[in-house]
Structure formats: structure tokens, C-alpha cells
Amino acid sequence: MTRLAEASPGSLFATWHSRHAPTVAPARKWLASRQISKVHIEWKEDVRVWHPGQRWIWEPGGMGVFDPAINALSIVTAILPRSFFLREGTLKVPENCQAPIAAKLRFSDSEETPITADLDFLQTGPQTWDIHIETDAGNLTLRKGGARCSLMTGWSTRRLNRNILAFMRASPSLLPVVRVRST
């Protein structure tokens, strides 16, 4: 990549692709003025679908379940207003592997906001790439790796409309991917 970049008149742009999912930037803007009370990452996919027969994923340095989890972490670090730190983790490592196939992680930020992650590389059927965020203004969920989102609130329709309008102002092109529910 270095040689290609040096030989090209353009520039090399390298980043985690999930950070550029359609709901990430609007979620970051919406969350910036909210009090976040809880975050839960649910990132589960089938290694047999995404890495069929690839032994490197289980070897030292292969990352195991953290190969897909880096996508979740790249989104969460982009949308949360404060840095957060790992406090505790449980890894499931099969005897014949050097990298974890599943993990349960507990983080917190400078305000002790609980942030948890449930990672699994053995999900069958539909894959789960969701981030659930509870705030003082309702619950925001990014689904399908940030391709979709939903905002749930127990407020009146008027207040709900103000919240969704604030979210939509951040990115009006999201109308087709945002679902709003009032409880």
C-alpha cells in the first residue's frame, strides 16, 4: 500500500469501514447533548461464513472474535462523547486455538457509565451487529453495523418529534434507515 500511495497522485485513506456507516455521524451528533446511562454492544457473527477455513484467525495475532469486534469498537469510539476503558473481560478460547471465539467485556468511562460487550464468533442464522444506548432522551440502537438505527422514547409525540428532528437534522439522508417508536 505504501508503494501504491507513493506512486499515486491521490491520497491514501485508511480507516475502519464501520465508522463510515450511514447512522454513525448523526448518532455522534445526537449523543453529544445527551446524558448516556448505559451502552451495550451485541456483536455476533458466524466465523464459518466470514472466514471459512481460515486458520490464521485462531493463531497468535489472529485476533479471533476481536477481528469482527474491532468494527463495533470503531463505531462506539466514534459516537460516544468520552473515552472509555476496559475494566473486566472474560474470554472463551477453545483448546485447539490461540485466540478467543467469544468474549464478555465490561468498560466504563470517566463518569462510570456502564458499557458492556457480548461478542460471539459462533452465531448462526442472521448476524447481530447492534449497539444499544440508553440516554435521558430515549434509547438509540444502531443495527446492522450502523446501517440502520431506531430511537425509542416514552415521551409525547411532540417531544418525540423534536428528538427525531434533531437526529434527522444531523443527516437528512437517513430518513429511510431511521425507525422511531414511542412507548
Side-chain angles (χ1 to χ4, degrees):
M1 286 193 352
T2 302
R3 281 187 298 237
L4 286 172
E6 289 171 348
S8 171
S11 61
L12 176 63
F13 179 67
T15 184
W16 297 109
H17 64 85
S18 295
R19 281 186 158 223
H20 302 284
T23 65
V24 172
R28 176 179 45 248
K29 288 179 184 177
W30 191 80
L31 289 168
S33 63
R34 307 297 185 260
Q35 180 64 38
I36 299 170
S37 57
K38 184 178 179 182
V39 178
H40 179 66
I41 302 163
E42 187 179 13
W43 218 261
K44 301 175 180 181
E45 66 182 44
D46 190 345
V47 68
R48 295 165 295 248
V49 171
W50 301 99
H51 296 283
Q54 296 178 20
R55 293 291 313 150
W56 67 267
I57 199 97
W58 307 117
E59 294 172 2
M63 295 177 53
V65 75
F66 292 103
D67 179 77
I70 196 69
N71 295 305
L73 295 172
S74 73
I75 291 172
V76 174
T77 57
I79 64 176
L80 294 183
R82 293 178 296 280
S83 298
F84 59 94
F85 309 93
L86 182 65
R87 303 295 186 195
E88 184 178 345
T90 303
L91 306 179
K92 182 178 178 183
V93 181
E95 285 187 29
N96 62 339
C97 297
Q98 300 296 312
I101 200 158
K104 292 196 182 295
L105 307 174
R106 187 178 60 81
F107 305 86
S108 65
D109 63 13
S110 59
E111 293 189 13
E112 298 299 321
T113 305
I115 302 166
T116 57
D118 188 5
L119 314 172
D120 192 339
F121 226 173
L122 292 178
Q123 173 98 354
T124 57
Q127 310 297 276
T128 305
W129 301 306
D130 298 342
I131 300 168
H132 310 278
I133 304 165
E134 295 179 16
T135 78
D136 60 338
N139 298 338
L140 178 67
T141 298
L142 277 64
R143 299 192 183 283
K144 298 185 178 189
R148 299 275 186 264
C149 70
S150 62
L151 178 63
M152 291 179 52
T153 179
W155 293 326
S156 68
T157 302
R158 174 185 247 187
R159 183 116 183 229
L160 171 66
N161 287 341
R162 277 190 297 195
N163 273 298
I164 197 60
L165 285 173
F167 190 85
M168 294 311 298
R169 266 189 230 111
S171 182
S173 64
L174 288 180
L175 190 55
V177 297
V178 176
R179 182 179 63 189
V180 180
R181 293 183 291 188
S182 181
T183 56

